[in-house]
Amino acid sequence: MSKKRVNFYPGLPPRLRPFTDLDIVCGVDEAGRGPLAGPVYAAAVILDPKRPIEGLRDSKKLSEARRDELAPQIREYALAWAICQASCEEIDSLNILHATMLAMRRAVEALHMIPTLALIDGNRCPPMDIRAHAVIEGDDKCHAISAASILAKTARDAELVRLHVQYPQYCFDQHKGYSTALHLERLRLHGPSPVHRRSFAPVRNLLQVDLFAAPMPDDAFGEVLPA
């Protein structure tokens, strides 16, 4: 096997890893828990130890251009990969945590190769039929989770660009649904679209207040993120 292992925690001795060389390990991560619009995405990836991919790390620490370079490499070199989502309706019905867990489970179950262990980014695991192990900040500690992070992020960004074509007044292509000043301004002007998450406070507040009767208070929209 190549010395450049792909399913590992940097600096963690093999005896402390939650898997052995006999395990088929998939990394799992999500993208889009925080935005006000669009589905939440999750990806699962089983990397090939014989085909290591240079530059894997947390997708949030990579430029958009670098993510777009790595995503096709992951799809080509991985032994198996899958990308799934939970819809806005499921997010509003289940809450964002449970919808995220659902998307993660769907991604693992969609793999054409059955893993023996799922390494999940974060501090909890979705219910599934195989062993699962949560890894805090795993998207920057384990290459398989990093790969899943990149696939989930690029897939969700592409979906928001598609939604921009359908709803150009919200500028989804610029903020990807996050609560930036631009997004909140467009929400005030146009009201929520069918792809906005109605259970999230800024959207819920707009639905509850008659905009024509009284102006929205500035703090109704919560924290404003930079564009």
PDB file of all heavy atoms in Angstrom, residues 94-133:
ATOM      1  N   LEU A  94     -38.527  18.395   9.678  1.00  0.00           N
ATOM      2  CA  LEU A  94     -37.740  17.600  10.629  1.00  0.00           C
ATOM      3  C   LEU A  94     -36.871  18.446  11.551  1.00  0.00           C
ATOM      4  O   LEU A  94     -36.514  18.009  12.627  1.00  0.00           O
ATOM      5  CB  LEU A  94     -36.833  16.635   9.856  1.00  0.00           C
ATOM      6  CG  LEU A  94     -37.512  15.618   8.948  1.00  0.00           C
ATOM      7  CD1 LEU A  94     -36.463  14.876   8.131  1.00  0.00           C
ATOM      8  CD2 LEU A  94     -38.341  14.647   9.770  1.00  0.00           C
ATOM      9  N   ASN A  95     -36.482  19.620  11.117  1.00  0.00           N
ATOM     10  CA  ASN A  95     -35.472  20.548  11.632  1.00  0.00           C
ATOM     11  C   ASN A  95     -34.153  20.252  10.916  1.00  0.00           C
ATOM     12  O   ASN A  95     -33.942  19.169  10.363  1.00  0.00           O
ATOM     13  CB  ASN A  95     -35.358  20.582  13.165  1.00  0.00           C
ATOM     14  CG  ASN A  95     -34.626  19.400  13.771  1.00  0.00           C
ATOM     15  OD1 ASN A  95     -33.622  18.912  13.245  1.00  0.00           O
ATOM     16  ND2 ASN A  95     -35.130  18.931  14.921  1.00  0.00           N
ATOM     17  N   ILE A  96     -33.240  21.221  10.933  1.00  0.00           N
ATOM     18  CA  ILE A  96     -32.047  21.127  10.109  1.00  0.00           C
ATOM     19  C   ILE A  96     -31.121  20.003  10.560  1.00  0.00           C
ATOM     20  O   ILE A  96     -30.489  19.340   9.732  1.00  0.00           O
ATOM     21  CB  ILE A  96     -31.289  22.478  10.076  1.00  0.00           C
ATOM     22  CG1 ILE A  96     -30.102  22.417   9.102  1.00  0.00           C
ATOM     23  CG2 ILE A  96     -30.859  22.901  11.461  1.00  0.00           C
ATOM     24  CD1 ILE A  96     -30.450  22.076   7.668  1.00  0.00           C
ATOM     25  N   LEU A  97     -31.043  19.735  11.857  1.00  0.00           N
ATOM     26  CA  LEU A  97     -30.174  18.653  12.328  1.00  0.00           C
ATOM     27  C   LEU A  97     -30.637  17.312  11.797  1.00  0.00           C
ATOM     28  O   LEU A  97     -29.842  16.549  11.222  1.00  0.00           O
ATOM     29  CB  LEU A  97     -30.135  18.636  13.856  1.00  0.00           C
ATOM     30  CG  LEU A  97     -29.402  17.439  14.466  1.00  0.00           C
ATOM     31  CD1 LEU A  97     -27.939  17.417  14.040  1.00  0.00           C
ATOM     32  CD2 LEU A  97     -29.524  17.442  15.985  1.00  0.00           C
ATOM     33  N   HIS A  98     -31.916  17.012  11.978  1.00  0.00           N
ATOM     34  CA  HIS A  98     -32.406  15.705  11.547  1.00  0.00           C
ATOM     35  C   HIS A  98     -32.422  15.586  10.017  1.00  0.00           C
ATOM     36  O   HIS A  98     -32.197  14.500   9.480  1.00  0.00           O
ATOM     37  CB  HIS A  98     -33.799  15.455  12.123  1.00  0.00           C
ATOM     38  CG  HIS A  98     -33.793  15.192  13.598  1.00  0.00           C
ATOM     39  ND1 HIS A  98     -33.956  16.197  14.522  1.00  0.00           N
ATOM     40  CD2 HIS A  98     -33.611  14.056  14.310  1.00  0.00           C
ATOM     41  CE1 HIS A  98     -33.900  15.688  15.736  1.00  0.00           C
ATOM     42  NE2 HIS A  98     -33.677  14.393  15.640  1.00  0.00           N
ATOM     43  N   ALA A  99     -32.659  16.693   9.332  1.00  0.00           N
ATOM     44  CA  ALA A  99     -32.596  16.657   7.872  1.00  0.00           C
ATOM     45  C   ALA A  99     -31.167  16.396   7.406  1.00  0.00           C
ATOM     46  O   ALA A  99     -30.939  15.663   6.429  1.00  0.00           O
ATOM     47  CB  ALA A  99     -33.116  17.968   7.285  1.00  0.00           C
ATOM     48  N   THR A 100     -30.190  16.968   8.093  1.00  0.00           N
ATOM     49  CA  THR A 100     -28.787  16.714   7.758  1.00  0.00           C
ATOM     50  C   THR A 100     -28.435  15.256   7.980  1.00  0.00           C
ATOM     51  O   THR A 100     -27.761  14.632   7.141  1.00  0.00           O
ATOM     52  CB  THR A 100     -27.871  17.619   8.603  1.00  0.00           C
ATOM     53  OG1 THR A 100     -28.180  18.987   8.336  1.00  0.00           O
ATOM     54  CG2 THR A 100     -26.409  17.362   8.279  1.00  0.00           C
ATOM     55  N   MET A 101     -28.866  14.696   9.106  1.00  0.00           N
ATOM     56  CA  MET A 101     -28.619  13.278   9.373  1.00  0.00           C
ATOM     57  C   MET A 101     -29.261  12.397   8.295  1.00  0.00           C
ATOM     58  O   MET A 101     -28.693  11.392   7.868  1.00  0.00           O
ATOM     59  CB  MET A 101     -29.172  12.896  10.752  1.00  0.00           C
ATOM     60  CG  MET A 101     -28.498  13.576  11.931  1.00  0.00           C
ATOM     61  SD  MET A 101     -26.769  13.076  12.194  1.00  0.00           S
ATOM     62  CE  MET A 101     -25.929  14.576  11.689  1.00  0.00           C
ATOM     63  N   LEU A 102     -30.451  12.801   7.849  1.00  0.00           N
ATOM     64  CA  LEU A 102     -31.140  12.049   6.797  1.00  0.00           C
ATOM     65  C   LEU A 102     -30.342  12.082   5.500  1.00  0.00           C
ATOM     66  O   LEU A 102     -30.168  11.057   4.830  1.00  0.00           O
ATOM     67  CB  LEU A 102     -32.531  12.626   6.585  1.00  0.00           C
ATOM     68  CG  LEU A 102     -33.368  12.031   5.456  1.00  0.00           C
ATOM     69  CD1 LEU A 102     -33.618  10.547   5.674  1.00  0.00           C
ATOM     70  CD2 LEU A 102     -34.696  12.786   5.316  1.00  0.00           C
ATOM     71  N   ALA A 103     -29.847  13.264   5.124  1.00  0.00           N
ATOM     72  CA  ALA A 103     -29.051  13.378   3.893  1.00  0.00           C
ATOM     73  C   ALA A 103     -27.782  12.542   3.994  1.00  0.00           C
ATOM     74  O   ALA A 103     -27.373  11.896   3.021  1.00  0.00           O
ATOM     75  CB  ALA A 103     -28.717  14.844   3.633  1.00  0.00           C
ATOM     76  N   MET A 104     -27.138  12.540   5.161  1.00  0.00           N
ATOM     77  CA  MET A 104     -25.925  11.731   5.347  1.00  0.00           C
ATOM     78  C   MET A 104     -26.231  10.244   5.196  1.00  0.00           C
ATOM     79  O   MET A 104     -25.492   9.509   4.523  1.00  0.00           O
ATOM     80  CB  MET A 104     -25.328  12.007   6.720  1.00  0.00           C
ATOM     81  CG  MET A 104     -24.639  13.353   6.862  1.00  0.00           C
ATOM     82  SD  MET A 104     -23.931  13.532   8.527  1.00  0.00           S
ATOM     83  CE  MET A 104     -22.885  14.983   8.281  1.00  0.00           C
ATOM     84  N   ARG A 105     -27.304   9.788   5.839  1.00  0.00           N
ATOM     85  CA  ARG A 105     -27.660   8.373   5.723  1.00  0.00           C
ATOM     86  C   ARG A 105     -27.978   8.010   4.279  1.00  0.00           C
ATOM     87  O   ARG A 105     -27.573   6.934   3.789  1.00  0.00           O
ATOM     88  CB  ARG A 105     -28.855   8.054   6.628  1.00  0.00           C
ATOM     89  CG  ARG A 105     -29.300   6.600   6.541  1.00  0.00           C
ATOM     90  CD  ARG A 105     -30.294   6.250   7.633  1.00  0.00           C
ATOM     91  NE  ARG A 105     -31.489   7.068   7.585  1.00  0.00           N
ATOM     92  CZ  ARG A 105     -32.519   6.848   6.761  1.00  0.00           C
ATOM     93  NH1 ARG A 105     -32.479   5.851   5.887  1.00  0.00           N
ATOM     94  NH2 ARG A 105     -33.582   7.623   6.812  1.00  0.00           N
ATOM     95  N   ARG A 106     -28.668   8.886   3.575  1.00  0.00           N
ATOM     96  CA  ARG A 106     -28.974   8.614   2.175  1.00  0.00           C
ATOM     97  C   ARG A 106     -27.696   8.483   1.348  1.00  0.00           C
ATOM     98  O   ARG A 106     -27.600   7.627   0.454  1.00  0.00           O
ATOM     99  CB  ARG A 106     -29.842   9.742   1.612  1.00  0.00           C
ATOM    100  CG  ARG A 106     -31.283   9.698   2.066  1.00  0.00           C
ATOM    101  CD  ARG A 106     -32.041  10.953   1.656  1.00  0.00           C
ATOM    102  NE  ARG A 106     -33.469  10.853   1.929  1.00  0.00           N
ATOM    103  CZ  ARG A 106     -34.321  11.856   1.904  1.00  0.00           C
ATOM    104  NH1 ARG A 106     -33.876  13.088   1.612  1.00  0.00           N
ATOM    105  NH2 ARG A 106     -35.590  11.676   2.180  1.00  0.00           N
ATOM    106  N   ALA A 107     -26.714   9.335   1.631  1.00  0.00           N
ATOM    107  CA  ALA A 107     -25.469   9.280   0.863  1.00  0.00           C
ATOM    108  C   ALA A 107     -24.741   7.959   1.093  1.00  0.00           C
ATOM    109  O   ALA A 107     -24.244   7.338   0.141  1.00  0.00           O
ATOM    110  CB  ALA A 107     -24.568  10.462   1.245  1.00  0.00           C
ATOM    111  N   VAL A 108     -24.665   7.515   2.343  1.00  0.00           N
ATOM    112  CA  VAL A 108     -23.998   6.236   2.633  1.00  0.00           C
ATOM    113  C   VAL A 108     -24.746   5.091   1.965  1.00  0.00           C
ATOM    114  O   VAL A 108     -24.133   4.202   1.352  1.00  0.00           O
ATOM    115  CB  VAL A 108     -23.902   6.014   4.156  1.00  0.00           C
ATOM    116  CG1 VAL A 108     -23.363   4.619   4.465  1.00  0.00           C
ATOM    117  CG2 VAL A 108     -23.002   7.071   4.791  1.00  0.00           C
ATOM    118  N   GLU A 109     -26.058   5.107   2.039  1.00  0.00           N
ATOM    119  CA  GLU A 109     -26.845   4.021   1.454  1.00  0.00           C
ATOM    120  C   GLU A 109     -26.821   4.039  -0.069  1.00  0.00           C
ATOM    121  O   GLU A 109     -27.096   3.018  -0.709  1.00  0.00           O
ATOM    122  CB  GLU A 109     -28.290   4.112   1.955  1.00  0.00           C
ATOM    123  CG  GLU A 109     -28.423   3.817   3.443  1.00  0.00           C
ATOM    124  CD  GLU A 109     -29.836   3.996   3.976  1.00  0.00           C
ATOM    125  OE1 GLU A 109     -30.673   4.560   3.219  1.00  0.00           O
ATOM    126  OE2 GLU A 109     -30.103   3.585   5.112  1.00  0.00           O
ATOM    127  N   ALA A 110     -26.469   5.173  -0.666  1.00  0.00           N
ATOM    128  CA  ALA A 110     -26.415   5.276  -2.126  1.00  0.00           C
ATOM    129  C   ALA A 110     -25.095   4.779  -2.713  1.00  0.00           C
ATOM    130  O   ALA A 110     -24.974   4.642  -3.934  1.00  0.00           O
ATOM    131  CB  ALA A 110     -26.657   6.722  -2.561  1.00  0.00           C
ATOM    132  N   LEU A 111     -24.089   4.526  -1.879  1.00  0.00           N
ATOM    133  CA  LEU A 111     -22.798   4.034  -2.377  1.00  0.00           C
ATOM    134  C   LEU A 111     -22.980   2.677  -3.048  1.00  0.00           C
ATOM    135  O   LEU A 111     -23.684   1.803  -2.528  1.00  0.00           O
ATOM    136  CB  LEU A 111     -21.802   3.905  -1.221  1.00  0.00           C
ATOM    137  CG  LEU A 111     -21.305   5.204  -0.587  1.00  0.00           C
ATOM    138  CD1 LEU A 111     -20.588   4.897   0.723  1.00  0.00           C
ATOM    139  CD2 LEU A 111     -20.382   5.956  -1.544  1.00  0.00           C
ATOM    140  N   HIS A 112     -22.311   2.464  -4.182  1.00  0.00           N
ATOM    141  CA  HIS A 112     -22.429   1.173  -4.858  1.00  0.00           C
ATOM    142  C   HIS A 112     -21.535   0.114  -4.230  1.00  0.00           C
ATOM    143  O   HIS A 112     -21.656  -1.076  -4.525  1.00  0.00           O
ATOM    144  CB  HIS A 112     -22.124   1.313  -6.358  1.00  0.00           C
ATOM    145  CG  HIS A 112     -20.709   1.643  -6.677  1.00  0.00           C
ATOM    146  ND1 HIS A 112     -19.686   0.719  -6.627  1.00  0.00           N
ATOM    147  CD2 HIS A 112     -20.139   2.804  -7.060  1.00  0.00           C
ATOM    148  CE1 HIS A 112     -18.543   1.303  -6.966  1.00  0.00           C
ATOM    149  NE2 HIS A 112     -18.791   2.564  -7.227  1.00  0.00           N
ATOM    150  N   MET A 113     -20.627   0.532  -3.339  1.00  0.00           N
ATOM    151  CA  MET A 113     -19.807  -0.381  -2.551  1.00  0.00           C
ATOM    152  C   MET A 113     -20.229  -0.229  -1.094  1.00  0.00           C
ATOM    153  O   MET A 113     -20.326   0.889  -0.592  1.00  0.00           O
ATOM    154  CB  MET A 113     -18.317  -0.046  -2.716  1.00  0.00           C
ATOM    155  CG  MET A 113     -17.391  -0.892  -1.875  1.00  0.00           C
ATOM    156  SD  MET A 113     -15.650  -0.360  -2.061  1.00  0.00           S
ATOM    157  CE  MET A 113     -15.365  -0.813  -3.772  1.00  0.00           C
ATOM    158  N   ILE A 114     -20.479  -1.334  -0.416  1.00  0.00           N
ATOM    159  CA  ILE A 114     -20.967  -1.270   0.954  1.00  0.00           C
ATOM    160  C   ILE A 114     -19.789  -1.103   1.914  1.00  0.00           C
ATOM    161  O   ILE A 114     -18.923  -1.970   1.999  1.00  0.00           O
ATOM    162  CB  ILE A 114     -21.769  -2.534   1.322  1.00  0.00           C
ATOM    163  CG1 ILE A 114     -22.970  -2.684   0.390  1.00  0.00           C
ATOM    164  CG2 ILE A 114     -22.243  -2.458   2.778  1.00  0.00           C
ATOM    165  CD1 ILE A 114     -23.753  -3.962   0.606  1.00  0.00           C
ATOM    166  N   PRO A 115     -19.728   0.013   2.646  1.00  0.00           N
ATOM    167  CA  PRO A 115     -18.639   0.202   3.612  1.00  0.00           C
ATOM    168  C   PRO A 115     -18.908  -0.576   4.899  1.00  0.00           C
ATOM    169  O   PRO A 115     -20.047  -0.977   5.181  1.00  0.00           O
ATOM    170  CB  PRO A 115     -18.666   1.711   3.872  1.00  0.00           C
ATOM    171  CG  PRO A 115     -20.089   2.098   3.639  1.00  0.00           C
ATOM    172  CD  PRO A 115     -20.627   1.178   2.575  1.00  0.00           C
ATOM    173  N   THR A 116     -17.842  -0.800   5.674  1.00  0.00           N
ATOM    174  CA  THR A 116     -17.995  -1.420   6.990  1.00  0.00           C
ATOM    175  C   THR A 116     -17.992  -0.370   8.096  1.00  0.00           C
ATOM    176  O   THR A 116     -18.383  -0.657   9.222  1.00  0.00           O
ATOM    177  CB  THR A 116     -16.864  -2.424   7.255  1.00  0.00           C
ATOM    178  OG1 THR A 116     -15.600  -1.736   7.228  1.00  0.00           O
ATOM    179  CG2 THR A 116     -16.863  -3.527   6.199  1.00  0.00           C
ATOM    180  N   LEU A 117     -17.537   0.846   7.781  1.00  0.00           N
ATOM    181  CA  LEU A 117     -17.460   1.910   8.769  1.00  0.00           C
ATOM    182  C   LEU A 117     -17.657   3.258   8.091  1.00  0.00           C
ATOM    183  O   LEU A 117     -17.084   3.502   7.023  1.00  0.00           O
ATOM    184  CB  LEU A 117     -16.101   1.893   9.481  1.00  0.00           C
ATOM    185  CG  LEU A 117     -15.803   3.055  10.434  1.00  0.00           C
ATOM    186  CD1 LEU A 117     -16.710   3.005  11.656  1.00  0.00           C
ATOM    187  CD2 LEU A 117     -14.342   3.057  10.847  1.00  0.00           C
ATOM    188  N   ALA A 118     -18.448   4.109   8.707  1.00  0.00           N
ATOM    189  CA  ALA A 118     -18.626   5.482   8.224  1.00  0.00           C
ATOM    190  C   ALA A 118     -17.994   6.432   9.226  1.00  0.00           C
ATOM    191  O   ALA A 118     -18.307   6.383  10.422  1.00  0.00           O
ATOM    192  CB  ALA A 118     -20.104   5.804   8.052  1.00  0.00           C
ATOM    193  N   LEU A 119     -17.095   7.284   8.741  1.00  0.00           N
ATOM    194  CA  LEU A 119     -16.507   8.345   9.553  1.00  0.00           C
ATOM    195  C   LEU A 119     -17.296   9.618   9.267  1.00  0.00           C
ATOM    196  O   LEU A 119     -17.307  10.103   8.139  1.00  0.00           O
ATOM    197  CB  LEU A 119     -15.030   8.535   9.215  1.00  0.00           C
ATOM    198  CG  LEU A 119     -14.114   7.341   9.492  1.00  0.00           C
ATOM    199  CD1 LEU A 119     -12.688   7.660   9.071  1.00  0.00           C
ATOM    200  CD2 LEU A 119     -14.154   6.957  10.970  1.00  0.00           C
ATOM    201  N   ILE A 120     -17.970  10.140  10.280  1.00  0.00           N
ATOM    202  CA  ILE A 120     -18.901  11.245  10.125  1.00  0.00           C
ATOM    203  C   ILE A 120     -18.280  12.526  10.668  1.00  0.00           C
ATOM    204  O   ILE A 120     -17.815  12.560  11.815  1.00  0.00           O
ATOM    205  CB  ILE A 120     -20.222  10.976  10.883  1.00  0.00           C
ATOM    206  CG1 ILE A 120     -20.760   9.572  10.569  1.00  0.00           C
ATOM    207  CG2 ILE A 120     -21.239  12.058  10.580  1.00  0.00           C
ATOM    208  CD1 ILE A 120     -21.232   9.372   9.162  1.00  0.00           C
ATOM    209  N   ASP A 121     -18.278  13.575   9.881  1.00  0.00           N
ATOM    210  CA  ASP A 121     -17.788  14.849  10.376  1.00  0.00           C
ATOM    211  C   ASP A 121     -18.749  15.400  11.433  1.00  0.00           C
ATOM    212  O   ASP A 121     -19.963  15.437  11.236  1.00  0.00           O
ATOM    213  CB  ASP A 121     -17.664  15.855   9.225  1.00  0.00           C
ATOM    214  CG  ASP A 121     -17.130  17.193   9.707  1.00  0.00           C
ATOM    215  OD1 ASP A 121     -16.001  17.217  10.232  1.00  0.00           O
ATOM    216  OD2 ASP A 121     -17.835  18.204   9.580  1.00  0.00           O
ATOM    217  N   GLY A 122     -18.204  15.827  12.566  1.00  0.00           N
ATOM    218  CA  GLY A 122     -19.043  16.406  13.607  1.00  0.00           C
ATOM    219  C   GLY A 122     -19.000  15.606  14.892  1.00  0.00           C
ATOM    220  O   GLY A 122     -18.102  14.798  15.119  1.00  0.00           O
ATOM    221  N   ASN A 123     -20.011  15.806  15.717  1.00  0.00           N
ATOM    222  CA  ASN A 123     -20.026  15.163  17.028  1.00  0.00           C
ATOM    223  C   ASN A 123     -21.154  14.163  17.205  1.00  0.00           C
ATOM    224  O   ASN A 123     -21.405  13.695  18.315  1.00  0.00           O
ATOM    225  CB  ASN A 123     -20.112  16.222  18.141  1.00  0.00           C
ATOM    226  CG  ASN A 123     -21.365  17.081  18.046  1.00  0.00           C
ATOM    227  OD1 ASN A 123     -22.224  16.856  17.184  1.00  0.00           O
ATOM    228  ND2 ASN A 123     -21.474  18.067  18.915  1.00  0.00           N
ATOM    229  N   ARG A 124     -21.862  13.839  16.129  1.00  0.00           N
ATOM    230  CA  ARG A 124     -22.905  12.818  16.219  1.00  0.00           C
ATOM    231  C   ARG A 124     -23.058  12.112  14.885  1.00  0.00           C
ATOM    232  O   ARG A 124     -22.665  12.628  13.840  1.00  0.00           O
ATOM    233  CB  ARG A 124     -24.231  13.419  16.666  1.00  0.00           C
ATOM    234  CG  ARG A 124     -24.858  14.398  15.703  1.00  0.00           C
ATOM    235  CD  ARG A 124     -26.148  14.958  16.282  1.00  0.00           C
ATOM    236  NE  ARG A 124     -25.902  15.837  17.423  1.00  0.00           N
ATOM    237  CZ  ARG A 124     -26.831  16.153  18.325  1.00  0.00           C
ATOM    238  NH1 ARG A 124     -28.052  15.648  18.226  1.00  0.00           N
ATOM    239  NH2 ARG A 124     -26.545  16.972  19.305  1.00  0.00           N
ATOM    240  N   CYS A 125     -23.644  10.928  14.959  1.00  0.00           N
ATOM    241  CA  CYS A 125     -23.783  10.096  13.764  1.00  0.00           C
ATOM    242  C   CYS A 125     -25.251   9.840  13.465  1.00  0.00           C
ATOM    243  O   CYS A 125     -26.061   9.673  14.393  1.00  0.00           O
ATOM    244  CB  CYS A 125     -23.086   8.748  13.964  1.00  0.00           C
ATOM    245  SG  CYS A 125     -21.313   8.857  14.264  1.00  0.00           S
ATOM    246  N   PRO A 126     -25.619   9.777  12.191  1.00  0.00           N
ATOM    247  CA  PRO A 126     -26.985   9.392  11.848  1.00  0.00           C
ATOM    248  C   PRO A 126     -27.182   7.909  12.091  1.00  0.00           C
ATOM    249  O   PRO A 126     -26.218   7.130  12.059  1.00  0.00           O
ATOM    250  CB  PRO A 126     -27.071   9.720  10.348  1.00  0.00           C
ATOM    251  CG  PRO A 126     -25.665   9.618   9.867  1.00  0.00           C
ATOM    252  CD  PRO A 126     -24.794  10.062  11.003  1.00  0.00           C
ATOM    253  N   PRO A 127     -28.405   7.474  12.359  1.00  0.00           N
ATOM    254  CA  PRO A 127     -28.660   6.030  12.487  1.00  0.00           C
ATOM    255  C   PRO A 127     -28.452   5.349  11.143  1.00  0.00           C
ATOM    256  O   PRO A 127     -28.930   5.820  10.111  1.00  0.00           O
ATOM    257  CB  PRO A 127     -30.121   5.967  12.948  1.00  0.00           C
ATOM    258  CG  PRO A 127     -30.725   7.260  12.486  1.00  0.00           C
ATOM    259  CD  PRO A 127     -29.630   8.271  12.540  1.00  0.00           C
ATOM    260  N   MET A 128     -27.701   4.267  11.143  1.00  0.00           N
ATOM    261  CA  MET A 128     -27.473   3.510   9.914  1.00  0.00           C
ATOM    262  C   MET A 128     -27.143   2.073  10.253  1.00  0.00           C
ATOM    263  O   MET A 128     -26.924   1.738  11.418  1.00  0.00           O
ATOM    264  CB  MET A 128     -26.383   4.163   9.053  1.00  0.00           C
ATOM    265  CG  MET A 128     -25.068   4.380   9.747  1.00  0.00           C
ATOM    266  SD  MET A 128     -23.842   5.195   8.660  1.00  0.00           S
ATOM    267  CE  MET A 128     -24.604   6.788   8.411  1.00  0.00           C
ATOM    268  N   ASP A 129     -27.091   1.229   9.235  1.00  0.00           N
ATOM    269  CA  ASP A 129     -26.926  -0.207   9.446  1.00  0.00           C
ATOM    270  C   ASP A 129     -25.470  -0.628   9.590  1.00  0.00           C
ATOM    271  O   ASP A 129     -25.205  -1.810   9.835  1.00  0.00           O
ATOM    272  CB  ASP A 129     -27.569  -0.986   8.289  1.00  0.00           C
ATOM    273  CG  ASP A 129     -29.083  -0.823   8.249  1.00  0.00           C
ATOM    274  OD1 ASP A 129     -29.667  -0.584   9.327  1.00  0.00           O
ATOM    275  OD2 ASP A 129     -29.657  -0.931   7.147  1.00  0.00           O
ATOM    276  N   ILE A 130     -24.528   0.293   9.433  1.00  0.00           N
ATOM    277  CA  ILE A 130     -23.120  -0.035   9.593  1.00  0.00           C
ATOM    278  C   ILE A 130     -22.552   0.739  10.775  1.00  0.00           C
ATOM    279  O   ILE A 130     -23.196   1.634  11.311  1.00  0.00           O
ATOM    280  CB  ILE A 130     -22.316   0.284   8.315  1.00  0.00           C
ATOM    281  CG1 ILE A 130     -22.355   1.786   8.028  1.00  0.00           C
ATOM    282  CG2 ILE A 130     -22.832  -0.528   7.132  1.00  0.00           C
ATOM    283  CD1 ILE A 130     -21.411   2.225   6.928  1.00  0.00           C
ATOM    284  N   ARG A 131     -21.343   0.364  11.190  1.00  0.00           N
ATOM    285  CA  ARG A 131     -20.682   1.102  12.259  1.00  0.00           C
ATOM    286  C   ARG A 131     -20.427   2.531  11.815  1.00  0.00           C
ATOM    287  O   ARG A 131     -20.144   2.793  10.647  1.00  0.00           O
ATOM    288  CB  ARG A 131     -19.341   0.449  12.600  1.00  0.00           C
ATOM    289  CG  ARG A 131     -19.472  -0.872  13.311  1.00  0.00           C
ATOM    290  CD  ARG A 131     -18.197  -1.708  13.188  1.00  0.00           C
ATOM    291  NE  ARG A 131     -16.985  -0.940  13.434  1.00  0.00           N
ATOM    292  CZ  ARG A 131     -15.880  -1.043  12.670  1.00  0.00           C
ATOM    293  NH1 ARG A 131     -15.864  -1.840  11.608  1.00  0.00           N
ATOM    294  NH2 ARG A 131     -14.803  -0.361  12.971  1.00  0.00           N
ATOM    295  N   ALA A 132     -20.522   3.452  12.771  1.00  0.00           N
ATOM    296  CA  ALA A 132     -20.279   4.863  12.465  1.00  0.00           C
ATOM    297  C   ALA A 132     -19.474   5.473  13.609  1.00  0.00           C
ATOM    298  O   ALA A 132     -19.643   5.092  14.777  1.00  0.00           O
ATOM    299  CB  ALA A 132     -21.585   5.610  12.270  1.00  0.00           C
ATOM    300  N   HIS A 133     -18.619   6.408  13.259  1.00  0.00           N
ATOM    301  CA  HIS A 133     -17.756   7.055  14.248  1.00  0.00           C
ATOM    302  C   HIS A 133     -17.707   8.534  13.934  1.00  0.00           C
ATOM    303  O   HIS A 133     -17.375   8.931  12.815  1.00  0.00           O
ATOM    304  CB  HIS A 133     -16.349   6.438  14.189  1.00  0.00           C
ATOM    305  CG  HIS A 133     -15.389   7.035  15.175  1.00  0.00           C
ATOM    306  ND1 HIS A 133     -15.411   6.716  16.516  1.00  0.00           N
ATOM    307  CD2 HIS A 133     -14.369   7.914  15.011  1.00  0.00           C
ATOM    308  CE1 HIS A 133     -14.450   7.386  17.135  1.00  0.00           C
ATOM    309  NE2 HIS A 133     -13.809   8.121  16.256  1.00  0.00           N
TER     310      HIS A 133
END
